[in-house]
Every structure is written in structure tokens, then in C-alpha cells.
Amino acid sequence: MIRRPPRSTPKPSSAASDVYKRQSLTLPVRNQPKELDNEWRKLFIEGNVFHGRVDATFCQVYIDNVEENSVKNLECIGLTIVNNLSDMGGKLLDVHSGVKMRGLNVSGNTLFRSEKGCIEFQNGSEVRGFNCSANSLALKVDAGGGSLKGDILEFGNGTFEGISITGNAFGGVDKDCILCKSPLINSTITGNTFTKYNVDGKKRNAVQTTGNNSLVITGNASEFDLHAGSTNGVLIANNIEEGNTKP
């Protein structure tokens, strides 16, 4: 079952349109006939305005264990989230444990004022092929300029391969911009900007890695320390860190 908002009406100020803007999308991966290998293919979430709370979640992908004989570890192929806007905060994408993503594309979205991160892959999730590009993702700043919450892009304890994070603008965090609790395999982090909005003086990192990776980090510009954590299998070259060029 897929629950989605109704189509927007021609007049942006209409009541129906206001409801549309305030709703979110939940994607439960349910049981399927045995002859099918995968549940979804080529699902588009495009051109929406999400006008939700700062702690809202706009798209969740999860295993539905409510139905009888529900099957775990199903695949979602070709989910595309492009050109959406959240003007009041919230998390853009939350992928739950047991979900296998294939060919995920998240591009051209603008999200700011979030209180709990922007994109999260929870523990037990698996992603093979993820294009994250040309997004503007930032977290909420309080009136004093500090107390920022969460990681903008978080990879939990799972399997992540073929990840391309390119040309994004990341802004302001309490911990790290990109937090990797598992290795990124055959992946790149290239041409991004990392801007710190906080003024509390705490230590920040643009990228935090762990384990044995095969990861290239190159051509980024960061006001944070560019990298922390494991350097096993990590190639770092030609970045600008806190105003200094790093070979």
C-alpha cells in the first residue's frame, strides 16, 4: 500500500492545496506474490512543497509487519525524490531496518530548519546505488545561533555500496554533516560545500567514517574539519578545509 497526498489544485492558496502541502508520504513495503522478485519500481516523488513541523518526516520506507505472512527484506528499486521543498523543517527521507534500496536518486531538493536530520538510513538497512546530488540541506539554528541537532545525512549500521554524494550544500550541525556508522564501499563524496551555522565553538566534522572503506573524498570545501574517523580505504585529496587547501 502506498499512501500519498492528493494532487495539488491549480490555486496554491486553496484549502486543498494547503492540506496537500502539509501531508507526508509513507511507503510500507508489503508482502508480494512469490513469482515477483521486487515490490516497487520507478516511484517518483517530485515537485512537492512540504509545509510541516521541524520534527516531521516526509517520506518513510519501511517493512509493514501488520499484514499476515508479511515478508522481511524486500527491495525498493528506482525510488526518485527530486525538486521538493520543505520550508519549515522536517526529515526528507527515513529508510527503516530491513529495507533494501536499489538505484535511489535524491536530487535538487531544498530542506532547512530540520531538527532531526535530513536523510537517514537506519540500522539494518541496505543501499546499493545512491545518487545524492544538487541538494541544499540544513538543520535548524536557534535564536542564539547554536544548539543544532542531528546529522544531516546518516548511514546506520548496514550495507552501503555505490554511494555518490556530489554537488550538495550542507549547513550547520551539532555532530557531523555526513555520519557513516558503516563503511561506504565503491563510493565518492565530491564537490560539496559544508557550512557551519553554529557559533558554540564545538568540534565538528564534515564527514565521519568507520571501518574498511573504499571511498574517495575530493574537491570539497568545508568550514568544518573535513574528515574524522577511520582512514582505512579512504582517499582524501584536493579539498579546502577551513580556508586551507588540503593536498
Side-chain angles (χ1 to χ4, degrees):
M1 179 184 73
I2 298 176
R3 292 183 296 169
R4 66 181 73 200
R7 293 184 180 273
S8 59
T9 59
K11 295 181 180 180
S13 60
S14 67
S17 180
D18 290 342
V19 171
Y20 168 71
K21 292 177 181 180
R22 294 175 186 273
Q23 292 185 352
S24 59
L25 177 65
T26 59
L27 306 175
V29 181
R30 293 194 169 181
N31 198 1
Q32 58 186 342
K34 292 183 178 179
E35 64 270 15
L36 296 180
D37 293 330
N38 304 287
E39 178 68 13
W40 298 324
R41 295 176 184 269
K42 302 178 181 177
L43 176 63
F44 283 82
I45 302 172
E46 182 177 13
N48 300 288
V49 175
F50 296 114
H51 189 70
R53 301 184 305 271
V54 292
D55 61 347
T57 298
F58 300 120
C59 179
Q60 296 184 48
V61 186
Y62 63 95
I63 300 293
D64 182 8
N65 291 320
V66 176
E67 286 191 347
E68 186 178 359
N69 298 322
S70 180
V71 177
K72 295 183 178 181
N73 298 320
L74 298 181
E75 293 185 349
C76 178
I77 297 180
L79 174 60
T80 298
I81 303 173
V82 295
N83 300 331
N84 300 286
L85 168 66
S86 170
D87 62 342
M88 292 295 292
K91 181 179 291 185
L92 179 63
L93 175 63
D94 189 2
V95 177
H96 288 216
S97 176
V99 174
K100 296 181 179 180
M101 306 294 295
R102 304 287 186 267
L104 173 63
N105 179 30
V106 180
S107 302
N109 302 283
T110 298
L111 185 74
F112 54 95
R113 298 187 73 248
S114 175
E115 284 195 345
K116 60 176 186 178
C118 298
I119 299 172
E120 180 180 0
F121 301 99
Q122 295 188 18
N123 294 342
S125 60
E126 178 179 314
V127 181
R128 298 184 188 274
F130 171 34
N131 172 48
C132 179
S133 62
N135 300 287
S136 180
L137 305 174
L139 300 184
K140 182 181 179 182
V141 184
D142 70 7
S147 299
L148 308 174
K149 301 177 181 179
D151 305 290
I152 294 178
L153 175 54
E154 181 173 334
F155 297 90
N157 293 313
T159 301
F160 306 102
E161 183 174 358
I163 310 301
S164 175
I165 302 170
T166 305
N168 302 281
F170 296 100
V173 287
D174 192 36
K175 292 181 284 185
D176 302 297
C177 290
I178 302 174
L179 175 62
C180 307
K181 296 180 180 178
S182 296
L184 298 187
I185 306 302
N186 298 330
S187 299
T188 61
I189 299 174
T190 306
N192 303 281
T193 60
F194 301 91
T195 304
K196 56 183 177 183
Y197 299 157
N198 58 290
V199 293
D200 59 10
K202 293 182 180 179
K203 189 78 170 179
R204 310 291 188 228
N205 302 295
V207 182
Q208 173 90 29
T209 57
T210 188
N212 295 311
N213 302 265
S214 54
L215 173 66
V216 175
I217 302 175
T218 185
N220 301 282
S222 175
E223 291 184 349
F224 304 91
D225 288 349
L226 181 66
H227 177 263
S230 173
T231 58
N232 294 334
V234 180
L235 173 62
I236 303 174
N238 301 323
N239 299 280
I240 297 176
E241 178 181 288
E242 296 181 321
N244 298 310
T245 301
K246 298 291 184 178

